Amino acid sequence: MKGKDRSSKPLAGGKLSGALPSSASRVVRQRGASLIQLVFYVVLASFSVVATVRLAPIYMDAWKVRSVVNSMGSETALRGASAREVSQSLNRRLNINGIRHIERDHIAIQVGPGGTEVVIDYEVRVPLFGNLDAIAHFRYDTVISN
């Protein structure tokens, strides 16, 4: 075997081990996103960012409203208070927290034998794109025991 080129030695199938691969096996499949896929991902990402930026303040305000309603239910100073006193306390708390989009007709206060029930039921509409709006509906309630 001295001096012989090993690359020209035939293999079991009759092919030479050092032969160049055929042209069909040289085709390398390209990877990556096409332009249409890239545009789709950019549109999807921009829609997600715009929706998050527009909806985040609504949900932050809703968390504040929920916190106000829950704190009213556990406050002992409001026990036995009239509907007017509860309404004034609620309005003061909403103003302190910067909640301005809740109107008088969104609030229901009913005094009953078990206590005073406070219900805030409202919805917020936010424009997203052109004539496409997002609507979020919230309802929070608590009972202030007597």
Side-chain angles (χ1 to χ4, degrees):
M1 292 229 224
K2 203 175 190 187
K4 284 192 172 186
D5 186 16
R6 291 185 194 186
S7 64
S8 62
K9 186 177 178 183
L11 296 176
K15 295 181 180 178
L16 296 176
S17 63
L20 294 175
S22 66
S23 62
S25 65
R26 274 191 269 160
V27 175
V28 178
R29 298 206 41 115
Q30 293 184 356
R31 295 181 181 226
S34 68
L35 182 62
I36 294 173
Q37 289 173 326
L38 186 62
V39 169
F40 174 75
Y41 291 139
V42 168
V43 168
L44 184 65
S46 63
F47 178 78
S48 299
V49 168
V50 169
T52 301
V53 167
R54 301 243 172 122
L55 292 175
I58 294 171
Y59 280 94
M60 290 173 57
D61 286 349
W63 291 330
K64 290 178 189 177
V65 171
R66 182 180 59 195
S67 173
V68 165
V69 170
N70 290 339
S71 69
M72 288 185 72
S74 63
E75 187 170 327
T76 57
L78 289 175
R79 290 187 178 164
S82 68
R84 182 174 181 209
E85 292 169 336
V86 171
S87 176
Q88 288 173 347
S89 176
L90 178 63
N91 287 332
R92 184 177 65 248
R93 291 168 192 237
L94 292 174
N95 285 334
I96 288 171
N97 284 299
I99 309 298
R100 307 257 186 254
H101 58 272
I102 294 179
E103 298 173 7
R104 184 172 285 171
D105 59 337
H106 297 147
I107 301 169
I109 299 173
Q110 296 178 350
V111 179
T116 305
E117 182 181 17
V118 178
V119 178
I120 298 179
D121 190 6
Y122 68 101
E123 70 180 31
V124 180
R125 181 182 297 254
V126 177
L128 288 178
F129 299 104
N131 63 350
L132 182 64
D133 291 350
I135 301 172
H137 180 258
F138 302 99
R139 178 184 165 88
Y140 301 108
D141 57 359
T142 190
V143 176
I144 303 168
S145 60
N146 287 334

